[in-house]
Amino acid sequence: MPLLLLFFCLACGSGLYAQEATYTNSLGIEFILIRPGSMVVGRYQPTVGKPQRQDPNRRSLPDTVYQLAHEMAQQAARPGFPVSIEKAFYIGKFEVTQEQWLKVMGENPAFFQGEKVTGNAAKHPVENITWQQTQAFIKKLNKLDKLHHYRLPSEFEWEYAARAGAEDDIAWSEIGATAVLGGKTTLEAGQKKPNAWGLYDMLGNVWEWVQDYYNEKIFADPVPPTSGKVHVLKGASFTGDVKNATYMTHAAGPGNGFDVGFRLVMEVKKQGN
């Protein structure tokens, strides 16, 4: 049997088929295909700068202080843990916008609309929403579009997509080019550069709800909790700073409210479904 035909038969037998790299649904929500892979989550390796002794007129701290800081950094360091993303999924190219929310829900809860923003408010991310409101949106969207299944990403799916293949945390010099930070309002979706996989505003603009419960810790656990008081937020917002604008930040809602939104996952379908 020719190799190409054999591959086709194996793909059919497993129930899988070639997926489009991008997809736009009937509401105009754009998705990008994220393929399986792995990463290390929760790796934290703080460092301490060396004292500068070149200028004799410059006052500096004693070496014992730097040594103590180095020891504290070593104590705080975490090796992280491996995470494998076993299944491909589609994730929103942008955060869900006010326009898209309005089409599904018939009303717009966003704080930043009208004269409170510049440009077209409909293209700004929807915000001022609770995790429960995202579930109501998703439930209604799944009824409107029976060809697909939508949900929030898990924290690990979100982080994997945000990293876009990066092994280490994003460099501080890149933050200004990729994140919507330090502003007074949200911005229209897609005003900054995308990450390597073509996803916009993974850092900044609005915090994004994910499916997981918060574990009441600074870092995520290898196995997310099955219950909790609140849910996890990722990605920071326009009100944040570079400290939070990293994909490893593990925060919890409800936050400020007016700077909290979300993006969707659309599950990959198998052949015959």
Side-chain angles (χ1 to χ4, degrees), residues 10-77:
L10 289 173
C12 291
S14 66
L16 300 176
Y17 67 103
Q19 300 291 328
E20 299 177 50
T22 61
Y23 182 85
T24 302
N25 73 3
S26 58
L27 291 174
I29 302 176
E30 299 178 66
F31 293 90
I32 290 180
L33 180 65
I34 306 299
R35 301 189 181 279
S38 60
M39 61 183 175
V40 174
V41 173
R43 179 189 288 140
Y44 181 57
Q45 302 292 332
T47 58
V48 177
K50 296 181 179 180
Q52 302 296 318
R53 307 297 194 196
Q54 293 86 349
D55 186 354
N57 297 318
R58 180 177 179 179
R59 298 180 62 185
S60 59
L61 296 172
D63 288 343
T64 53
V65 174
Y66 286 95
Q67 179 60 33
L68 177 60
H70 178 69
E71 293 173 0
M72 294 175 65
Q74 287 185 316
Q75 293 173 2

Side-chain angles (χ1 to χ4, degrees), residues 236-273:
S237 77
F238 70 91
T239 67
D241 53 32
V242 294
K243 173 175 65 67
N244 286 325
T246 70
Y247 50 62
M248 69 182 294
T249 298
H250 173 71
N256 294 325
F258 61 80
D259 63 349
V260 175
F262 71 112
R263 78 179 65 218
L264 288 168
V265 157
M266 184 180 74
E267 293 184 353
V268 167
K269 298 176 67 175
K270 291 185 178 181
Q271 188 178 26
N273 291 352

Side-chain angles (χ1 to χ4, degrees), residues 202-268:
M202 295 299 289
L203 299 176
N205 220 5
V206 292
W207 286 99
E208 298 183 21
W209 287 115
V210 297
Q211 187 66 29
D212 298 341
Y213 285 103
Y214 186 59
N215 62 357
E216 307 293 336
K217 299 177 183 178
I218 297 176
F219 296 98
D221 289 320
V223 178
T226 57
S227 63
K229 298 178 180 178
V230 293
H231 290 83
V232 174
L233 288 172
K234 299 289 283 185
S237 77
F238 70 91
T239 67
D241 53 32
V242 294
K243 173 175 65 67
N244 286 325
T246 70
Y247 50 62
M248 69 182 294
T249 298
H250 173 71
N256 294 325
F258 61 80
D259 63 349
V260 175
F262 71 112
R263 78 179 65 218
L264 288 168
V265 157
M266 184 180 74
E267 293 184 353
V268 167

Side-chain angles (χ1 to χ4, degrees), residues 44-207:
Y44 181 57
Q45 302 292 332
T47 58
V48 177
K50 296 181 179 180
Q52 302 296 318
R53 307 297 194 196
Q54 293 86 349
D55 186 354
N57 297 318
R58 180 177 179 179
R59 298 180 62 185
S60 59
L61 296 172
D63 288 343
T64 53
V65 174
Y66 286 95
Q67 179 60 33
L68 177 60
H70 178 69
E71 293 173 0
M72 294 175 65
Q74 287 185 316
Q75 293 173 2
R78 295 168 57 96
F81 52 86
V83 169
S84 293
I85 304 299
E86 304 289 349
K87 297 180 180 180
F89 61 94
Y90 285 97
I91 194 167
K93 184 176 181 179
F94 308 101
E95 294 155 336
V96 172
T97 66
Q98 295 181 32
E99 178 181 46
Q100 291 160 353
W101 181 281
L102 182 62
K103 286 180 180 179
V104 174
M105 303 300 286
E107 48 83 30
N108 183 4
F111 177 80
F112 290 107
Q113 53 179 309
E115 296 180 355
K116 294 177 182 176
V117 298
T118 57
N120 184 359
K123 303 299 183 183
H124 283 237
V126 68
E127 26 72 15
N128 199 32
I129 51 173
T130 65
W131 186 89
Q132 289 74 20
Q133 285 175 302
T134 68
Q135 299 305 300
F137 175 94
I138 291 168
K139 183 178 181 179
K140 193 166 184 180
L141 179 58
N142 280 321
K143 288 182 178 179
L144 292 172
D145 182 0
K146 298 185 182 299
L147 296 176
H148 304 97
H149 181 73
Y150 302 94
R151 58 178 174 82
L152 288 179
S154 69
E155 179 172 10
F156 294 155
E157 285 174 332
W158 187 98
E159 186 166 328
Y160 179 69
R163 289 178 179 223
E167 289 294 326
D168 299 310
D169 210 351
I170 189 169
W172 300 125
S173 61
E174 298 175 11
I175 289 290
T178 60
V180 181
L181 295 173
K184 295 181 179 180
T185 72
T186 57
L187 291 180
E188 289 187 29
Q191 296 302 297
K192 295 291 183 177
K193 293 180 181 179
N195 71 7
W197 288 350
L199 302 171
Y200 288 82
D201 303 335
M202 295 299 289
L203 299 176
N205 220 5
V206 292
W207 286 99

